Amino acid sequence: MFRKSLMTTLAVSALALSACGGGDNSDAGGGSEDGITMGFAQVGAESGWRTANTKDVQDAAKAAGIDLKFTDAQQKQENQIKAIRSYIQQQVDVIAFSPVVESGWDTVLKEAKDAGIPVILTDRSVDSADTSLYATFLGSDFVQEGKSAGEWLVEDSAATDGPVNIVELQGTTGAAPALDRKEGFEAAIAADPDLKIVSSQTGDFTRSGGKQVMEAFLKNTPDIDVVYAHNDDMGLGAIEAIEAAGMVPGKDIKIITVDAVKDGMTALSEGKINFIAECNPLLGAQLMDLAEKVVNGEDVPARVVTEETTFTSEQAKEALPTRKY
Ligand code: GYE
């Protein structure tokens, strides 16, 4: 009886979700009858990083025997909120999500808390003052990634005299990695007054966005020396724009990015990108481990930071053959 009514609720919410354009709501899990059910509201499929992250979460759920309900929010906060509400209705054991932007989550997080469903923030965080609204936050230190990018530029420009004009391709407006990568980079380049961000605009973490904004920069901004892109995909889009304008990426204009996914690492090994600060998308195993602990009422750390490194062109050549994504 209970099962039947639950199935009806499931079907209705899946319908409601797709009718509202909330993306696919697929069940990729292999969990057992009494195993853990996780609702996962993903940002979208905007980048190579995201694709690798989604695959890793789905694989890790299968390996852990966790039944995964997966939603792609197509980079829209309203879709993520709908998905979370649907998971609350379905009475999943745990909700995990990667918030598309930092603000505006208190209401829906309170709803999950009132329903007794723990929430794990994955990859990106929220700015809620009440940290009891979520169990833990698993993800990278985005400020550090921005700092590493900026520190490389300070060192690389040490021998050059005169101004270094930087254009910045920002990630999604209001997203934690966009805000933090900007902050970290600006803090690092403050060490050299010759380094100046002369134009800065969002490319929404996509290749087409990066290309479009770079085309506009090339028209409107004189003497660009460096592109700082908040992810590989936007940097790859900028490469296309620079080449179309008859210039050589990596030489005429230097390029620094964040992520280190395969396409980015390939461009780095070819000298089209000059430096990448790594951001690790393989969060699946840690996420499933945290989910099991949280559901079993065990203590978990409030913050779990992913380990990452940086790559020069030479290091990318070495790392590429064994790179998993
Ligand atoms: O760097 C970017 C993606 O949130 C860390 O989102 C993630 C970022 C990643 O679109 O490529």
Side-chain angles (χ1 to χ4, degrees):
M1 186 61 206
F2 168 70
R3 184 139 279 275
K4 199 171 166 210
S5 68
L6 183 68
M7 288 316 288
T8 316
T9 317
L10 271 174
V12 169
S13 10
L15 254 181
L17 204 67
S18 58
C20 301
D24 64 314
N25 185 7
S26 56
D27 186 342
S32 68
E33 282 281 297
D34 338 297
I36 295 173
T37 299
M38 171 188 285
F40 186 90
Q42 181 60 290
V43 168
E46 73 283 3
S47 64
W49 190 99
R50 190 64 54 196
T51 311
N53 177 251
T54 293
K55 186 177 180 304
D56 192 58
V57 168
Q58 289 173 334
D59 289 351
K62 240 180 224 149
I66 290 180
D67 184 13
L68 185 72
K69 316 253 169 239
F70 181 88
T71 316
D72 173 341
Q74 296 166 353
Q75 284 189 284
K76 291 203 178 74
Q77 181 174 36
E78 62 196 270
N79 290 344
Q80 277 194 316
I81 291 175
K82 261 178 221 152
I84 293 168
R85 292 208 164 115
S86 139
Y87 295 143
I88 295 171
Q89 234 188 332
Q90 294 173 50
Q91 298 177 309
V92 298
D93 300 303
V94 55
I95 292 171
F97 80 113
S98 175
V100 60
V101 290
E102 243 181 15
S103 320
W105 298 102
D106 288 25
T107 308
V108 74
L109 288 177
K110 268 191 202 113
E111 288 167 23
K113 194 181 177 187
D114 291 346
I117 303 174
V119 173
I120 300 176
L121 301 177
T122 311
D123 153 38
R124 298 183 183 178
S125 80
V126 297
D127 65 2
S128 302
D130 180 1
T131 54
S132 79
L133 293 175
Y134 51 90
T136 177
F137 164 38
L138 163 68
S140 310
D141 181 343
F142 300 135
V143 176
Q144 182 52 50
E145 292 166 356
K147 267 193 195 146
S148 303
E151 279 162 8
W152 179 82
L153 186 60
V154 169
E155 223 181 280
D156 186 69
S157 316
T160 14
D161 251 350
V164 175
N165 294 331
I166 306 161
V167 295
E168 181 180 33
L169 294 168
Q170 293 183 40
T172 302
T173 306
L179 297 165
D180 294 355
R181 286 171 187 167
K182 182 171 188 53
E183 183 191 320
F185 185 79
E186 281 175 351
I189 63 165
D192 181 347
D194 282 342
L195 305 185
K196 278 211 180 70
I197 299 179
V198 290
S199 291
S200 179
Q201 218 177 293
T202 180
D204 212 12
F205 279 133
T206 66
R207 209 173 282 209
S208 60
K211 185 177 177 202
Q212 243 178 347
V213 175
M214 191 62 206
E215 281 166 355
F217 283 164
L218 286 165
K219 277 195 197 117
N220 310 329
T221 313
D223 305 325
I224 299 170
D225 298 304
V226 176
V227 174
Y228 168 47
H230 289 185
N231 78 343
D232 286 349
D233 282 82
M234 292 190 295
L236 293 162
I239 289 175
E240 289 176 34
I242 292 168
E243 284 176 340
M247 282 182 276
V248 183
K251 296 213 165 60
D252 295 333
I253 297 180
K254 290 193 175 168
I255 303 180
I256 306 166
T257 65
V258 185
D259 272 357
V261 294
K262 205 153 240 158
D263 288 355
M265 290 287 274
T266 305
L268 178 60
S269 73
E270 294 165 354
K272 294 184 176 187
I273 293 179
N274 304 80
F275 185 76
I276 304 184
E278 183 186 41
C279 180
N280 188 357
L282 306 182
L283 305 176
Q286 276 172 298
L287 173 61
M288 299 311 147
D289 185 49
L290 287 168
E292 277 163 2
K293 291 196 169 116
V294 164
V295 171
N296 293 330
E298 288 170 44
D299 278 345
V300 293
R303 173 82 170 100
V304 181
V305 186
T306 330
E307 264 188 46
E308 29 215 25
T309 179
T310 60
F311 293 99
T312 59
S313 186
E314 284 312 308
Q315 289 164 333
K317 277 182 210 155
E318 264 171 53
L320 255 174
T322 53
R323 201 86 179 145
K324 288 202 194 77
Y325 54 91

